[in-house]
Amino acid sequence: MNLLLLSNSRSPDGGYLDHAVELVRELAGVRSKALFLPFAGVTTTWDDYTAKVQQALAPAGLTLTGAHTVKATDLDAYELVIVGGGNTFQLLQQARQRGWLHAIRRAVAAGMPYMGWSAGANLACPTICTTNDMPIVDPGGFDALGLIDMQINPHYLNALPAGHQGETRDQRLAEFMVLRPETKIIGLPEGDWLRIRGKQVQLYGPFPARVFQGGQEALDISAPATLAE
């Protein structure tokens, strides 16, 4: 496995994927032909989404092709896979219906690099059940790519505004852990990312991530740190 999983696409100053360019350059190496899955985009067209990411990642030397314009059987023509954020349910639905789940799982297992942020990071997990998104479509099941054996909660934040009576993020994730205590969840704050090489999972970024495991207190871990190897 050769994966780069980011919590988010925008930096605090609003820059789009600025913090990812050098990370993508390291992930890609000499590779340049990238397949981009824009299916999480709902309020933008997939053509526009692909063009936006192309412009942002051009400094890394990449040329992107939108997965909506080719077939899953064409994956061997590309050198890395990039999956954008947006709505995770629509992303999974379209990836499943178009045959990309099996194709990407096979290619990444064989060494093709994979990058995803937000929904794209969720897609790399065993399921999408720790996404923050609304289920706006039926994805035909929650099982995702299963490239890693832990769940990610991107955009992790446990803040509770004064007077708000709803559940915190930690409380929502605790509900998941009650029913799936064997699963590890990484609460990944904005600005943080995971770098996976083989079975090694490393945490990077400016903020502590929160690790949830069944039967244990949640643990804050500062980067850089190795979460699994």
Side-chain angles (χ1 to χ4, degrees), residues 116-136:
W117 59 89
S118 192
N122 281 134
L123 192 69
C125 298
T127 77
I128 65 164
C129 292
T130 52
T131 180
N132 304 308
D133 299 335
M134 294 284 185
I136 61 174

Side-chain angles (χ1 to χ4, degrees), residues 160-183:
L160 184 65
H164 183 71
Q165 302 303 318
E167 290 82 359
T168 64
R169 188 76 59 83
D170 280 15
Q171 289 171 321
R172 289 300 193 195
L173 295 176
E175 294 174 343
F176 178 94
M177 297 302 300
V178 167
L179 297 180
R180 300 191 181 185
E182 75 286 354
T183 304

Side-chain angles (χ1 to χ4, degrees), residues 47-187:
D47 283 340
D48 287 348
Y49 195 2
T50 303
K52 181 178 182 179
V53 177
Q54 171 65 78
Q55 181 178 12
L57 296 184
L62 300 186
T63 300
L64 272 61
T65 298
H68 61 297
T69 67
V70 295
K71 296 180 179 180
T73 52
D74 298 328
L75 183 55
D76 289 342
Y78 302 93
E79 298 173 299
L80 68 155
V81 175
I82 299 175
V83 185
N87 185 274
T88 313
F89 291 90
Q90 178 169 280
L91 169 62
L92 180 57
Q93 180 203 56
Q94 292 296 318
R96 174 174 283 122
Q97 290 179 356
R98 294 167 183 261
W100 287 112
L101 289 184
H102 174 74
I104 291 173
R105 191 181 294 117
R106 174 186 56 81
V108 173
M112 182 178 286
Y114 176 103
M115 172 196 178
W117 59 89
S118 192
N122 281 134
L123 192 69
C125 298
T127 77
I128 65 164
C129 292
T130 52
T131 180
N132 304 308
D133 299 335
M134 294 284 185
I136 61 174
V137 296
D138 180 357
F142 299 135
D143 290 347
L145 288 170
L147 303 180
I148 57 176
D149 62 1
M150 59 185 67
Q151 292 288 135
I152 295 173
N153 179 245
H155 307 280
Y156 173 76
L157 184 67
N158 196 46
L160 184 65
H164 183 71
Q165 302 303 318
E167 290 82 359
T168 64
R169 188 76 59 83
D170 280 15
Q171 289 171 321
R172 289 300 193 195
L173 295 176
E175 294 174 343
F176 178 94
M177 297 302 300
V178 167
L179 297 180
R180 300 191 181 185
E182 75 286 354
T183 304
K184 178 187 289 187
I185 305 174
I186 309 300

